[in-house]
Amino acid sequence: MSNQKIRVRFAPSPTGPLHMGGVRTALFNYLFAKKQGGDFILRIEDTDQNRFVQGAEEYIAESLKWCGLHPDEGPGMGGNFGPYRQSERKHLYKKYADQLVKSGWAYIAFDTPKEIEKLRTDAEANKETFSYGIGTREKLNNSLNISEEEVQQKMAAGEPYVVRFKMPEDEDVTENDIIRGSVTFNTTKSLDDKVLFKSDGMPTYHLANVVDDHLMEITHVIRGEEWLSSMPLHVLLYRALDWEKTKPQFAHLPLILKPQGKGKLSKRDGDKMGFPVFPLEWKDPATNEVFRGYREDGYFPEAFINLLALLGWNPGTEQEFFSMEELTQLFSLDRVVKSGSRFNPEKAKWFNRHYFQQKTEEELAQLFKPVLEKKGIVAPGEKITAVVAEIKERCEFVSDLWEQGSYFFVAPTSYDEKTVKKRWKDDTPEQLAALTAVLKSVDTWKAEEIKETFSAFMNEKGWGFGAVMNPLRLCLVGGNMGPDLFKICEILGKEETIQRIETAVKNIQN
Ligand code: GLU
């Protein structure tokens, strides 16, 4: 297999939105393939029609796109191994199910869901759990116990049936996992006879997954830890189908844990603790419930990718910021750990801050513009850029730009009471009126010139700088926040500055 082209797949089921853990799986597959010049394939595993969710597949595709994880092959993208949606490959699977029955690795079972449910509840009443497999299959309604003729008759009569894998007895199935090393499962102790093919003519996950990995020439199966328990069945299926020589290698990625460190990060945690767990916003079509997304929360995809990369993988150095290109060069499964990784929402924001600060003022202004437009504000590009330059440092999200700089675009209509109490003195209106007169005489409305005029005037009057600057700030921004006061004057423009002082004096005096 050493000279073979690396081919990996991301194989989500469209049963809902992609969780950030799912995106991490996609990312690790992508990085693993790209580092070695391999192919990254998107395969939609939609054989379970009951769990189909409207819009989920589109959501998956859009999420990957937003993250910059572009598949080489996938639905609607072409490729030599399509179709890439399992529902469109339906015709392919039956022959393998038949082959397994023929070779004795599988059998046909006629037990109805109702009958199985009864076995289950009966077992529960005895404090046992029912499993269809070694120890029970001999007594049930399947082709192991009834004659070939009878099986044919039942099938001809249209009786619904499933194909089940016949788990060999008491065998230790050992397989190497790239992350976990050698893993052993005992067939009798932990494995039942899984359904491979259903009465609706569709394969189950297990059969479709193995058949497709084989037909699509997948070399490495990189997926979440929750699939580790399926590995022995999959390994046995490769043996049963006589595909052992080209069996892929397995790597099961560690869980992403809740911020408190215990338990898997779930979709509800985000709501409870105030952070997104989905890449994009998701509106549940059944309940209309809306789940927040990293994109809508204002995260940059670079930040999202960076934080995901470090959930389970480490570079072995102190470096924390990685671009996709760097990750592609550095990534290896050797540095993926077995134990779960705790998700830290504060760190997520910290990553965003970094990528926010990396953007140029022009880039941020471009992103800020639509935020302003949504609020009905149309401002010249140079002004937006100038505002960004002044407040950028205080922000970690584009939305912070509005929080930090709204007063550049909208004059204050109220004034922070505490500041008024503290800074607004009896002689303030008079001082501001005198200042206004002087400001009107400034020719070049630039921070430097305004400052010079202001300083000369203050010195002449012998007033304390703070006594005038603080009320002036209050007039212009409505409180005591904001960057350099003269820069604020410059950006607001002469007319607006004077107007704001006059309005404030009127309003605060009342
Ligand atoms: N369809 C499975 C899922 O939803 C794929 C698991 C695998 O990668 O084998 O995650």
Side-chain angles (χ1 to χ4, degrees):
M1 211 134 114
S2 57
N3 292 329
Q4 208 180 348
K5 183 163 199 198
I6 301 286
R7 286 175 59 81
V8 299
R9 85 300 193 275
F10 177 51
S13 300
T15 54
L18 208 50
H19 180 277
M20 57 190 279
V23 184
R24 200 254 335 239
T25 299
L27 173 65
F28 285 15
N29 272 286
Y30 175 87
L31 296 174
F32 180 79
K34 292 301 131 189
K35 177 164 183 194
Q36 301 170 86
D39 294 329
F40 169 62
I41 293 133
L42 173 64
R43 184 173 73 223
I44 298 295
E45 301 210 323
D46 57 350
T47 56
D48 193 347
Q49 309 274 299
N50 298 326
R51 295 183 60 213
F52 175 80
V53 172
Q54 193 69 44
E57 186 188 323
E58 292 77 5
Y59 179 96
I60 292 165
E62 204 183 328
S63 300
L64 295 182
K65 194 169 157 206
W66 181 65
C67 291
L69 301 173
H70 304 294
D72 298 296
E73 299 166 27
M77 294 163 206
N80 295 329
F81 297 81
Y84 294 92
R85 222 176 260 122
Q86 285 184 331
S87 57
E88 290 166 16
R89 302 170 64 80
K90 194 176 162 184
H91 58 284
L92 283 166
Y93 306 108
K94 187 163 187 308
K95 87 169 189 224
Y96 298 105
D98 291 345
Q99 184 188 324
L100 289 168
V101 173
K102 223 177 186 174
S103 59
W105 278 97
Y107 58 92
I108 289 164
F110 295 100
D111 319 79
T112 64
K114 245 198 183 144
E115 284 162 354
I116 292 193
E117 192 46 41
K118 181 159 183 339
L119 291 165
R120 232 173 238 135
T121 43
D122 288 353
E124 268 165 31
N126 293 327
K127 301 223 168 339
E128 285 165 14
T129 37
F130 168 76
S131 83
Y132 203 122
I134 301 158
T136 56
R137 63 164 86 109
E138 300 78 8
K139 296 170 215 120
L140 295 165
N141 190 7
N142 60 50
S143 62
L144 301 173
N145 309 316
I146 48 185
S147 70
E148 170 77 33
E149 256 186 327
E150 210 181 322
V151 170
Q152 292 307 330
Q153 272 169 15
K154 279 170 176 284
M155 286 170 87
E159 213 174 292
Y161 67 92
V162 298
V163 175
R164 284 183 182 270
F165 189 69
K166 190 176 170 208
M167 196 47 79
E169 263 179 69
D170 198 20
E171 187 189 322
D172 285 334
V173 180
T174 298
E175 182 68 19
N176 184 61
D177 180 285
I178 298 173
I179 297 164
R180 283 146 217 277
S182 167
V183 184
T184 301
F185 287 85
N186 181 276
T187 53
T188 303
K189 280 192 200 125
S190 51
L191 302 170
D192 56 349
D193 289 355
K194 284 271 183 291
V195 174
L196 300 176
F197 201 81
K198 293 173 292 180
S199 47
D200 64 0
M202 279 289 216
T204 60
Y205 156 70
H206 299 291
L207 182 67
N209 186 269
V210 165
V211 166
D212 284 347
D213 281 348
H214 173 76
L215 296 179
M216 294 183 180
E217 296 178 13
I218 299 301
T219 57
H220 296 78
V221 168
I222 304 169
R223 61 188 174 191
E225 182 176 299
E226 63 272 31
W227 302 102
L228 183 62
S229 58
S230 299
M231 183 170 69
L233 170 61
H234 295 183
V235 166
L236 288 169
L237 278 169
Y238 282 101
R239 189 193 299 171
L241 290 162
D242 212 6
W243 295 338
E244 261 186 320
K245 277 203 197 87
T246 54
K247 180 180 65 183
Q249 295 185 53
F250 293 91
H252 290 88
L253 305 175
L255 293 176
I256 299 180
L257 305 176
K258 296 180 195 298
Q260 306 90 309
K262 271 210 177 129
K264 190 175 160 185
L265 182 70
S266 81
K267 70 174 183 184
R268 297 278 162 209
D269 292 328
D271 286 343
K272 273 189 257 158
M273 290 176 253
F275 59 83
V277 292
F278 297 111
L280 317 179
E281 189 175 273
W282 168 255
K283 186 167 171 195
D284 189 318
T287 62
N288 277 337
E289 196 177 353
V290 176
F291 294 90
R292 60 206 276 184
Y294 278 88
R295 181 178 67 182
E296 288 72 13
D297 267 24
Y299 281 85
F300 295 114
E302 304 94 292
F304 184 52
I305 289 297
N306 198 150
L307 76 93
L308 284 181
L310 293 173
L311 286 172
W313 173 81
N314 70 77
T317 64
E318 296 292 301
Q319 188 178 345
E320 292 202 89
F321 298 116
F322 298 93
S323 65
M324 189 74 98
E325 291 68 39
E326 281 175 295
L327 287 171
T328 304
Q329 281 162 23
L330 293 170
F331 185 80
S332 87
L333 287 172
D334 305 345
R335 301 211 72 94
V336 175
V337 293
K338 285 196 277 238
S339 51
S341 313
R342 197 161 63 90
F343 171 63
N344 178 348
E346 287 311 310
K347 190 106 193 229
K349 288 187 194 157
W350 178 79
F351 275 116
N352 210 64
R353 178 179 171 80
H354 171 79
Y355 288 97
F356 183 96
Q357 297 303 330
Q358 296 262 298
K359 302 242 181 257
T360 66
E361 282 141 24
E362 286 75 19
E363 282 169 330
L364 290 173
Q366 278 304 318
L367 297 169
F368 191 20
K369 200 168 160 226
V371 176
L372 292 169
E373 280 168 2
K374 255 201 186 148
K375 298 183 189 289
I377 297 164
V378 184
E382 311 88 73
K383 176 172 176 180
I384 304 176
T385 308
V387 170
V388 167
E390 290 309 307
I391 58 173
K392 178 179 174 186
E393 248 216 79
R394 304 154 190 255
C395 304
E396 45 197 20
F397 291 93
V398 171
S399 56
D400 295 342
L401 290 168
W402 174 252
E403 264 160 53
Q404 294 291 337
S406 57
Y407 54 83
F408 281 105
F409 305 97
V410 191
T413 50
S414 65
Y415 302 88
D416 179 54
E417 263 179 51
K418 253 174 130 182
T419 317
V420 172
K421 237 188 204 146
K422 197 165 158 200
R423 306 291 189 190
W424 200 268
K425 305 287 184 235
D426 288 344
D427 48 3
T428 301
E430 198 187 309
Q431 292 174 330
L432 289 175
L435 174 68
T436 309
V438 174
L439 289 180
K440 281 183 182 161
S441 72
V442 176
D443 287 331
T444 319
W445 194 257
K446 284 272 173 213
E448 270 304 303
E449 277 75 14
I450 304 167
K451 189 176 175 180
E452 254 169 49
T453 310
F454 179 86
S455 306
F457 168 71
M458 295 300 287
N459 287 334
E460 185 197 312
K461 291 282 188 190
W463 293 339
F465 273 48
V468 181
M469 276 176 85
N470 286 311
L472 176 58
R473 182 179 291 277
L474 188 60
C475 297
L476 301 182
V477 311
N480 64 354
M481 67 286 194
D484 180 74
L485 189 55
F486 302 107
K487 264 283 170 197
I488 297 178
C489 292
E490 178 187 321
I491 295 173
L492 288 176
K494 188 167 170 177
E495 225 175 282
E496 177 72 10
T497 300
I498 288 165
Q499 171 86 56
R500 284 192 188 190
I501 299 172
E502 287 171 355
T503 312
V505 169
K506 249 188 259 152
N507 289 343
I508 296 175
Q509 275 321 98
N510 297 333

